């Protein structure tokens, strides 16, 4: 590895602009003649929209237009779609309730837009919005999944009787029943996976600019996948054909999944820009983020695991109710099915698994992918269950896991996934050593003598990342292929531009992607720039989510690099009068191996573009592109162990130690990987201890600001002790598995396992707030 | 935020005069409550009168057995003040666990008590220490000043100028932080005056705002020790209940925080 090559802890190139306030986010962009949109949102969880009177608002200063849901329907803007088709066990397709970008007739969650005011300033738009009178007829609402599926519950969509989205199954129920019939022990657990609000630092925003002469739209938006946004806006929403729509996602301040989706606000901004003939800007505020950014998780699950007399798992059955909120968001259908139940084997050799997932509509904000997306729910369930089993079977929790680990690879689970490689013992050993697991009983005893309740919790997670092989996801119902594309442009002076379909919104691509170039060509990363986030610049891309940017996006860059290098070597060989096979690339030069003959990359590039002396038949230029479609998911895995103390007087948790031993395959930039793990762990700990998006029984949000929704802060979390064990991913040439979601997937179970160990009670829901822990300690 | 007219007053007299001339004015101290509320369009004062540059509202004075903190002194300045740390370290501690650094650099003692949020920290200190609130018109005993949720004895246009604390023999404050807002989920301030009186005040717990806790006062009067509170029973009746804490939990916290505050007080 060079100083800036693969494996180097290179300082992030992009941080200079971020930490000096020079980042360029959507809200920083101002266009000539720009107007400002403010949405009028329902205060009711469920209501008929009887009448919208905007006459007073239209007379107010600076008001350009007031547009309503009925108008957007009249203009035939398409309803929002869900891009992954799921089939119920009875063979029927999932039941999609119609979701217009603004509600013409019925609102189904607090915050759903019914109209928009377009005005000369943000404040004038807000002033006028207060003068728009919306006459609602309130309808009964339901927020809880169990309440929603009861007979007589308020019904959300005529398309979905009983509020059921689908009733989906996976696995061999007969084999599972047979395993349970013969089981020596059965362990049962009910868990709730709490609903979370994503809370990216930058709220969502959009600027739409319609050029009437060209009949062309430009959309600046906070997106993790601008090409997917353009595809969906063009193919389904009748906004504009793709060649008449440019989507730009500039600097984006965090996504965590919530910026994958195409939201009503972007659609309305585009439509409104054409209607008013001027650019339209919308910047969400934090309240709108709480109300309208797709939430995460929200599962209620009953699970049972069968063990034989040797404590080997023989069967696993799961029934999950997944709260979808009021509408099906873009990838919502896949999250509690193919991104969840396919991971239910965890790190364990389980011969038979069966899962049933019932999707349910409620009068709440739509739920979709959020960091980990289905895999945290699976990992939490398995790892809570393993801990519960160890307690019930009276064996050490780490050893129960070890004795059930998958040790032979590849391993086909009973739930689709074929794990390619891994070494689960290695990461468990590393984590146990790092935390001095053997010394824990003594530490617990000492803490007890000091009047403290100390606990330790293990979590062995596995995830499926590098999303995803297109053929495989296509066969499971995905509406898109999940390959990635890249282009390498060597400029005539030898500098390099990498155009990628991946999108960086905090991940550090502008550094790590350069490191691949530095590794291969031996040029400094200052000679390389990364171009992303603009459909007019980048040929295509599927974007960034599912820990895919390195495993899929960087591999696409590698493929394009290889093509470029092959051509450059031919040019070098021609110039040096050598055989192409003898050319090696070192320190930015093309050398004839074993000689001192060399030509520098800029000279090769110049030769390519002057084309004065190229090999016969060669096209000028030095620019290559590639599409890369992975052959399998990647399977990052690891062990997290948490040691903590609980204050029995207050129920408050204090961390003593938190160790993480991850296997991400090859690391490009260990410093950035550590940052990703830190962030993920904090989100996992946030879910375990603090975060909960709560609705009352009538669907009113209780946690719509940071005064009520508890985000983790620096002093809520410990200093993490990280390490890596490595098995290279055989599925991609760089051996990368991905690291973006692991922390959020594995951390929650470690924390809850540790708290329940400390307090000696097994049933404790997340978030384990001090109040909840205290009541659990003192419950009879 | 709605349109408003901003004034920067240079003296208490000017501030009060400006207030009298406006149709619906608000005094702006540190702005840690008023500004977010205005941004959310939940308050629409015609005029905002900034007190931050009034010199006579800044600073701390220790004179004999009286510690006086001027109304517009920030939490940070209180927390780091040598006289505060020497005379009533429990106040320095209270300030150090109030909000977060950004709040402490801006928020003020006067702003806190004028707002009288039921979960604010400072009202507990005033009530337990038997402080006196000085205004441009009069002196008001803490006992009479706090009158329920977001309600005080202040008249329209009356401006707090300072708070005077009698220096106690012992005092301590312990708080369970609200996990989201960092206000007090429940905080308890205990004080033993130099004449031997014991006063205990709890904030964040009661539906009626900051309150004295007579049963704990009696127990500590008999025996100033954490163990003395062991047998005390706190009723959950009238206590706040929300997603972060049931009334029973807050009743428990009153007791536990009182015990820890006594330990801290020594």
């Amino acid at each position: 590895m060079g100083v800036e090559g693969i494996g180097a802890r290179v300082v992030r190139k992009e941080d200079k602009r971020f930490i000096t306030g020079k980042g360029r986010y959507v809200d920083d962009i101002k266009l000539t003649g720009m107007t400002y949109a403010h949405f009028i949102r329902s205060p009711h969880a469920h209501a008929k929209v009887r009448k919208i009177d905007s006459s007073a608002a239209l007379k107010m200063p600076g008001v350009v237009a007031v547009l309503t849901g009925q108008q957007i329907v009249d203009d035939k803007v398409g309803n929002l779609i869900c891009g992954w088709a799921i089939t119920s066990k009875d063979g029927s397709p999932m039941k999609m309730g119609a979701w217009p970008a603004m509600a013409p007739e019925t609102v189904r969650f607090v915050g759903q837009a019914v109209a928009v005011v377009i005005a000369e300033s943000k404040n004038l738009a807000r002033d006028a919005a207060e003068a728009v009178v919306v006459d609602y007829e309130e309808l009964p609402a339901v927020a809880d999944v169990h309440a929603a599926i009861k007979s007589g519950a308020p019904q959300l969509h005529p398309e979905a009787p009983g509020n059921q989205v689908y009733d989906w199954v996976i696995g061999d129920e007969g084999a599972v029943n047979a395993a349970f019939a013969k089981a020596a022990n059965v362990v049962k657990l009910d868990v709730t996976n709490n609903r979370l609000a994503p809370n990216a630092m930058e709220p969502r925003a959009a600027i739409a600019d319609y050029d009437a002469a060209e009949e062309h739209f430009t959309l600046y938006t906070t997106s993790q996948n601008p090409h997917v946004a353009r595809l969906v806006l063009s193919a389904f929403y009748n906004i504009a054909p793709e060649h008449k729509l440019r989507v730009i996602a500039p600097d984006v301040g965090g996504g965590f999944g919530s910026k994958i989706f195409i939201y009503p606000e972007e659609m309305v901004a585009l439509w409104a820009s054409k209607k008013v003939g001027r650019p339209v800007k919308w910047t969400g505020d934090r309240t709108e983020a709480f109300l309208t950014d797709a939430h995460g998780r929200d599962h209620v699950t009953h699970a049972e695991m069968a063990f034989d007399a040797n404590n080997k798992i023989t069967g696993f059955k799961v029934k999950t109710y997944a709260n979808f909120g009021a509408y099906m968001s873009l990838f919502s259908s896949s999250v509690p099915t193919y991104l969840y139940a396919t991971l239910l084997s965890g790190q364990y050799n389980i011969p038979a698994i069966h899962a049933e997932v019932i999707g349910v509509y409620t009068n709440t904000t739509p739920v979709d992918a959020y960091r980990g997306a289905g895999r945290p729910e699976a990992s939490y369930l398995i790892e809570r269950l393993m801990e519960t089993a160890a307690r019930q079977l009276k064996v050490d929790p780490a050893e129960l896991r070890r004795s059930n680990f998958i040790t032979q690879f590849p391993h086909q689970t009973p739930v689709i996934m074929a794990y390619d490689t891994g070494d689960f013992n290695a990461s468990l050993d590393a984590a146990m050593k790092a935390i001095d697991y053997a010394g824990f009983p003594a530490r617990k005893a000492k803490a007890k003598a000091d009047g403290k309740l100390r606990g330790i919790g293990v979590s062995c997670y596995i995830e499926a990342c590098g999303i995803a092989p297109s053929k495989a996801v296509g066969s499971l119902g995905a509406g898109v292929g999940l390959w990635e594309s890249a282009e390498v442009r060597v400029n005539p002076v030898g500098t390099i531009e990498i155009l990628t379909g991946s999108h960086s919104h905090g991940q550090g691509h502008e550094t790590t992607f350069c490191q691949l170039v530095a590794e291969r060509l031996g040029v400094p990363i200052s000679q390389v720039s990364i171009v992303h986030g603009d459909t007019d610049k980048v040929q295509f891309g599927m974007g960034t989510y599912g820990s895919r940017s390195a495993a899929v996006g960087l591999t696409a860059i590698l493929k394009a690099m290889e093509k470029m290098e092959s051509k450059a070597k031919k040019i070098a060989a021609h110039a040096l009068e050598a055989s192409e096979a003898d050319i090696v690339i070192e320190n930015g030069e093309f050398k004839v191996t074993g000689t001192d003959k060399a030509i520098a990359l800029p000279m090769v590039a110049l030769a390519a573009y002057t084309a004065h002396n190229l090999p016969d038949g060669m096209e000028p230029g030095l620019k290559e592109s590639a599409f890369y479609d992975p052959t399998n998911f990647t399977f990052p895995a690891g062990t997290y162990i948490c040691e903590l103390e609980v204050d029995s007087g207050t129920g408050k948790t204090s961390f003593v130690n938190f160790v993480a031993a991850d296997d991400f395959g090859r690391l490009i930039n260990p410093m950035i990987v550590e940052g990703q793990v830190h962030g993920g762990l904090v989100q996992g700990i946030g879910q375990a201890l603090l975060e909960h998006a709560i609705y009352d029984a009538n669907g009113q949000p209780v946690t719509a600001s940071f005064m009520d929704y508890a985000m983790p802060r620096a002093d809520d979390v410990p200093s993490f002790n990280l390490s890596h064990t490595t098995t290279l991913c055989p599925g991609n040439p760089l051996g990368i598995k991905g690291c973006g979601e692991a922390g959020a997937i594995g951390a929650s179970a470690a924390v809850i396992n540790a708290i329940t160990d400390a307090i000696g009670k097994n049933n404790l829901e997340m978030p384990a707030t001090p109040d909840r822990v205290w009541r659990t300690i003192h419950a009879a | 935020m709605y349109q408003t007219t901003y004034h920067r007053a240079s003296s208490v007299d000017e501030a009060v005069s400006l207030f009298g001339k406006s149709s619906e004015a608000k005094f702006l101290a540190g702005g840690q409550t008023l500004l977010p509320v205005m941004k959310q369009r939940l308050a629409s004062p015609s005029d905002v009168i900034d007190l931050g540059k009034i010199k006579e509202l800044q600073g701390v004075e220790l004179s004999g057995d009286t510690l006086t903190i001027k109304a517009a002194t920030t939490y940070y300045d209180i927390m780091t003040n040598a006289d505060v740390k020497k005379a009533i370290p429990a106040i320095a501690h209270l300030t150090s666990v109030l909000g977060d650094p950004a709040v402490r650099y801006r928020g003020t003692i006067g702003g806190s008590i004028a707002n009288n949020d039921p979960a604010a920290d400072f009202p507990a200190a005033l009530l337990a220490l038997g402080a006196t609130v000085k205004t441009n018109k009069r002196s008001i005993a803490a006992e009479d000043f706090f009158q329920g949720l977001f309600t005080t004895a202040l008249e329209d246009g009356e401006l707090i100028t300072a708070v005077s604390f009698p220096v106690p023999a012992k005092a301590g404050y312990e708080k369970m932080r609200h996990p989201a807002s960092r206000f007090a989920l429940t905080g308890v301030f205990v004080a033993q005056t130099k004449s031997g009186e014991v006063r205990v005040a709890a904030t964040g717990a009661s539906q009626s705002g900051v309150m004295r806790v007579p049963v704990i006062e009696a127990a500590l009067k008999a025996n100033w020790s954490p163990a003395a509170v062991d047998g005390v029973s706190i009723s959950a009746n009238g206590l706040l209940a929300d997603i972060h804490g049931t009334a029973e939990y807050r009743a428990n916290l009153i007791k536990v925080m009182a015990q820890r505050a006594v330990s801290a007080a020594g």
Side-chain angles (χ1 to χ4, degrees):
Chain A
M1 125 191 147
V3 290
E4 294 180 327
I6 289 176
R9 304 174 75 89
V10 177
V11 172
R12 297 190 354 151
K13 287 176 80 175
E14 48 271 76
D15 282 348
K16 183 175 178 185
R17 75 173 186 277
F18 292 145
I19 64 177
T20 57
K22 301 295 185 191
R24 190 165 183 260
Y25 299 88
V26 172
D27 194 54
D28 295 320
I29 297 166
K30 292 178 177 62
L31 304 181
T32 305
M34 193 163 75
T35 63
Y36 296 81
H38 184 81
F39 285 89
I40 295 163
R41 301 185 181 280
S42 171
H44 306 296
H46 199 190
K48 289 271 179 215
V49 181
R50 280 202 291 231
K51 189 174 177 223
I52 299 176
D53 181 357
S54 49
S55 54
L58 285 165
K59 290 175 196 149
M60 290 178 68
V63 174
V64 176
V66 179
L67 305 172
T68 66
Q70 189 57 52
Q71 285 171 283
I72 206 165
V73 171
D74 291 345
D75 282 357
K76 300 197 168 18
V77 173
N79 289 335
L80 279 85
I81 61 151
C82 179
W84 195 307
I86 298 292
T87 304
S88 286
K89 64 182 179 186
D90 66 3
S92 63
M94 62 188 189
K95 308 289 190 296
M96 274 188 71
W99 186 7
M102 294 192 291
E105 285 175 6
T106 309
V107 288
R108 296 182 176 86
F109 67 96
V110 171
Q112 187 174 4
V114 297
V116 64
V117 177
I118 313 290
E120 299 290 346
S121 78
K122 200 172 176 175
N123 229 23
L124 289 168
R126 286 190 77 163
D127 287 346
E130 290 176 10
V132 175
V133 181
V134 185
D135 182 12
Y136 294 100
E137 176 191 340
E138 274 193 76
L139 299 171
V142 63
D144 174 78
V145 280
H146 287 310
I149 56 171
K150 281 205 178 112
S151 68
Q155 298 292 297
L156 272 80
H157 298 285
E159 301 91 338
N163 295 320
Q164 187 172 296
V165 179
Y166 51 59
D167 183 348
W168 174 88
V169 289
I170 190 171
D172 185 341
E173 191 171 20
V176 169
N177 287 340
F180 274 80
K182 287 192 290 183
N185 287 291
V186 171
V187 179
K188 303 178 182 183
L189 188 68
D190 291 287
V191 300
T192 300
N193 206 288
N194 41 321
R195 177 184 282 238
L196 305 175
N199 279 314
M201 197 180 290
E202 179 204 18
R204 289 190 295 115
I207 302 172
D209 184 11
Y210 179 65
D211 179 337
E214 298 289 340
E215 297 181 341
H216 180 278
F217 291 89
T218 302
L219 174 68
Y220 302 85
T221 183
T222 47
S223 175
Q224 300 178 212
N225 32 237
H227 286 87
V228 176
R230 186 181 66 164
L231 170 65
V232 172
L233 288 162
S234 289
F236 299 100
Y237 300 158
N238 303 331
I239 301 287
E242 282 180 287
H243 68 300
K244 293 290 185 185
L245 173 59
R246 177 184 185 185
V247 178
I248 300 171
D251 284 332
V252 174
F256 311 112
S258 73
K259 291 172 181 168
I260 296 172
F261 325 117
I262 291 83
Y263 287 90
E265 289 82 2
E266 293 101 90
M267 296 166 61
V268 171
L270 286 161
W271 168 73
S273 174
K274 184 174 181 182
K275 256 189 141 47
V276 304
R278 292 170 61 182
V280 173
K281 178 187 230 177
W282 169 75
T283 304
D285 62 22
R286 187 58 61 184
T287 307
E288 288 180 297
F290 274 109
L291 297 180
T292 67
D293 290 3
H295 288 174
R297 321 280 192 254
D298 208 344
H299 285 193
V300 181
T301 296
H302 175 77
E304 301 187 9
M305 197 174 263
F307 288 84
D308 69 13
N310 297 319
N311 294 335
K312 299 280 189 195
I313 307 166
T314 54
F316 187 23
K317 59 182 171 189
V318 173
K319 185 169 189 178
T320 293
Y321 292 89
N323 191 341
F324 272 66
Y327 297 97
M328 293 185 76
S329 177
L330 190 63
F331 289 111
S332 59
S333 55
S334 64
V335 176
T337 50
Y338 290 113
L339 295 178
Y340 164 67
T342 56
L343 271 302
L344 286 172
S345 197
Q347 296 190 355
Y348 311 110
N349 199 343
I350 306 180
I353 298 175
H354 182 261
E356 178 174 14
V357 180
I358 297 157
V360 180
Y361 286 115
T362 62
N363 294 108
T364 61
T365 297
V367 176
D368 206 326
Y370 170 67
R371 201 170 191 170
R375 291 152 289 160
E377 296 90 318
S379 188
Y380 181 73
L381 177 66
I382 301 158
E383 291 307 293
R384 285 288 295 123
L385 200 47
M386 291 303 282
E387 200 75 18
T388 305
R391 290 168 192 171
Q392 187 174 320
L393 302 173
K394 300 196 178 347
V395 293
D396 179 84
E399 293 314 312
L400 179 67
R401 287 173 169 88
R402 189 190 297 282
S403 68
N404 281 285
F405 274 163
I406 295 161
T407 52
Q408 301 293 318
F409 296 91
H411 174 87
Q412 176 64 53
T413 74
V415 279
I416 297 178
M417 290 299 178
Y419 300 164
D420 51 6
T421 187
D423 186 345
F424 305 147
N425 278 308
S427 46
L428 179 62
D429 288 341
M432 288 172 72
K433 183 163 182 251
I435 206 157
D436 183 18
Y437 190 84
F440 176 74
R443 296 196 296 277
K444 186 179 176 91
K446 182 174 184 310
K448 190 176 179 188
D450 296 339
K452 302 276 180 54
L453 303 173
R454 189 175 281 217
I456 197 163
V458 177
S459 171
C460 299
Y461 76 91
I462 188 165
E463 46 170 336
C465 294
I467 290 174
S470 300
K471 193 173 171 184
V473 296
S475 73
L476 302 177
V480 288
L482 292 170
W483 43 264
E484 194 48 271
S485 96
E487 185 178 323
V488 176
R489 292 182 189 167
V490 182
N491 296 317
V493 292
T495 58
I496 297 163
E497 289 166 307
I498 302 290
L499 294 87
T500 169
S502 298
H503 184 274
S504 188
H505 34 279
Q507 293 86 347
H509 295 174
E510 289 172 45
T511 305
T512 46
F513 290 3
C514 290
Q515 288 182 244
L516 174 70
V517 180
E519 176 76 22
R520 295 191 67 84
L521 302 182
V523 298
I525 63 171
S526 60
Q527 299 294 304
V528 188
S529 66
I530 304 298
V531 178
H532 65 102
D534 185 340
T535 59
D536 265 13
K537 291 182 181 167
V538 177
Q539 56 182 6
F540 211 95
M542 297 311 296
T544 288
Y545 40 81
S547 306
R548 69 192 302 273
S549 294
V552 187
L554 194 59
T555 305
I557 295 171
L558 174 68
K559 298 284 180 193
M561 286 286 293
E562 285 171 347
K563 289 186 194 174
M564 180 280 290
E565 289 164 15
S566 170
K567 182 172 181 180
K569 280 182 179 176
K570 286 189 177 71
I571 296 169
H574 183 70
L576 297 169
E577 297 177 340
S579 161
E580 185 191 335
D582 292 335
I583 302 292
V584 293
I585 308 174
E586 280 174 17
N587 298 322
E589 289 185 326
F590 292 74
K591 294 179 177 167
V592 181
T593 187
T595 74
D596 59 357
K597 287 166 69 176
I599 179 170
L601 173 65
M603 298 313 293
V604 173
L606 193 63
Y609 285 95
T610 57
H612 294 163
N613 183 23
L614 290 175
D616 286 344
M618 180 182 275
E619 292 177 12
L622 196 52
K623 172 175 100 65
E624 297 290 343
S625 67
F627 284 71
Y628 170 68
D629 197 358
T631 53
N632 191 0
F633 292 86
T634 65
F635 297 96
T639 294
Y640 298 159
I641 307 182
C642 168
E643 185 170 334
L644 48 73
E645 285 183 351
V646 175
D647 178 341
S648 62
T650 63
K652 189 171 168 49
T653 296
S654 306
F655 288 99
V656 176
N657 202 352
F658 197 114
V659 304
D662 294 295
D663 179 357
F664 297 138
R666 192 183 308 285
L667 310 182
I668 305 298
N669 183 325
M671 180 197 74
I672 288 178
V673 169
E674 287 162 9
Q676 289 285 312
V677 176
H678 285 175
L681 290 173
V682 171
Q683 278 175 298
I685 290 170
Q687 171 164 32
L689 295 181
L690 295 159
E691 297 184 53
H692 195 186
I694 300 174
Y695 288 83
D696 73 12
N698 298 316
Q700 284 293 326
V702 178
T703 47
S705 86
F706 288 137
M707 292 296 279
D708 300 302
Y709 188 91
M711 287 293 281
R713 305 184 203 196
D715 63 355
D716 289 316
V717 296
S719 255
F720 300 110
N721 177 345
L722 307 188
S723 64
H724 300 282
T725 61
T726 302
T727 57
L728 293 178
C729 176
N732 61 67
L734 293 166
I736 291 168
K737 297 187 181 182
C739 66
E741 297 163 292
I745 290 169
S748 305
V751 174
I752 300 298
N753 287 341
I755 297 175
T756 51
D757 178 51
I759 66 177
K761 306 233 174 160
N762 195 57
N763 293 320
L764 177 68
E765 296 290 12
M766 299 190 291
T769 61
D771 175 28
R772 187 173 266 167
V773 173
W774 177 79
R775 282 186 282 122
T776 305
I777 292 171
H778 296 281
Chain B
M1 192 180 282
Y2 294 107
Q3 290 282 347
T4 190
T5 304
Y6 172 87
H7 308 269
R8 176 178 286 165
S10 56
S11 70
V12 169
D13 286 347
E14 188 194 0
V16 172
S17 163
L18 282 164
F19 192 98
K21 288 180 200 158
S22 308
S23 59
E24 210 174 316
K26 281 275 185 196
F27 291 124
L28 173 67
Q32 296 304 292
T33 299
L34 180 61
L35 294 182
V37 166
M38 287 175 68
K39 283 183 182 172
Q40 289 180 294
R41 296 192 160 208
L42 298 172
S44 53
S46 62
D47 297 76
V48 169
I49 300 155
D50 187 351
L51 310 172
K53 299 290 176 191
I54 299 176
K55 287 213 170 57
E56 61 198 290
L57 293 181
Q58 298 282 345
V60 174
E61 287 169 8
L62 179 61
S63 168
D65 273 346
T66 302
L67 180 77
T68 299
I69 303 177
K70 306 285 184 61
T73 310
T74 63
Y75 302 133
Y76 177 80
D77 286 342
I78 296 168
M79 182 176 90
T80 53
N81 183 275
D83 285 338
V84 173
K85 288 198 266 191
K86 178 177 139 201
I88 316 181
I91 288 184
H93 170 69
L94 174 148
T95 320
S96 75
V97 296
L98 191 162
D100 53 33
V103 169
R104 294 195 284 270
Y105 280 121
R106 297 294 305 175
T108 69
I109 184 172
S112 171
I113 63 171
N115 191 45
N116 192 18
D117 188 298
D121 298 278
F122 258 112
L126 268 70
L127 199 56
L129 289 166
T132 301
V133 180
K134 306 282 178 69
T135 77
N136 61 323
K137 294 181 178 170
R138 57 188 168 141
S139 293
I140 311 169
E143 211 75 54
D144 303 323
F145 181 83
F146 300 110
Q147 299 187 346
L149 305 186
F150 301 102
T151 310
T152 68
L154 288 172
E155 293 165 359
D156 200 33
E158 187 174 9
L159 183 61
I160 300 168
T161 55
V163 181
S164 292
F165 296 93
V167 176
K170 291 177 175 181
Y173 180 67
E174 287 297 321
K175 157 192 192 182
M176 186 68 188
R177 282 176 156 191
H178 185 291
S181 72
R182 299 273 167 111
F183 274 81
L185 195 60
T186 287
V188 176
F189 201 107
V190 300
Q192 190 185 71
T193 66
K194 288 194 170 171
S195 62
E197 188 192 358
V198 172
R199 295 170 63 102
V200 175
T203 187
S206 167
Q207 292 170 15
S208 317
V210 65
M211 65 171 185
R212 298 269 294 270
V213 192
V215 286
I216 294 179
E217 290 177 351
L220 291 175
K221 174 88 179 163
N223 174 13
W224 179 265
S225 77
V229 185
D230 281 343
V232 168
S233 171
I234 304 287
S235 167
N237 287 338
L239 297 190
L240 292 164
D242 55 34
I243 57 170
H244 295 289
T246 53
E248 292 73 23
Y249 181 61
R250 283 181 161 90
N252 168 66
L253 285 180
I254 291 173
K255 194 168 151 177
V256 172
M257 292 300 123
Q259 290 177 311
R260 293 180 186 181
V262 170
S263 292

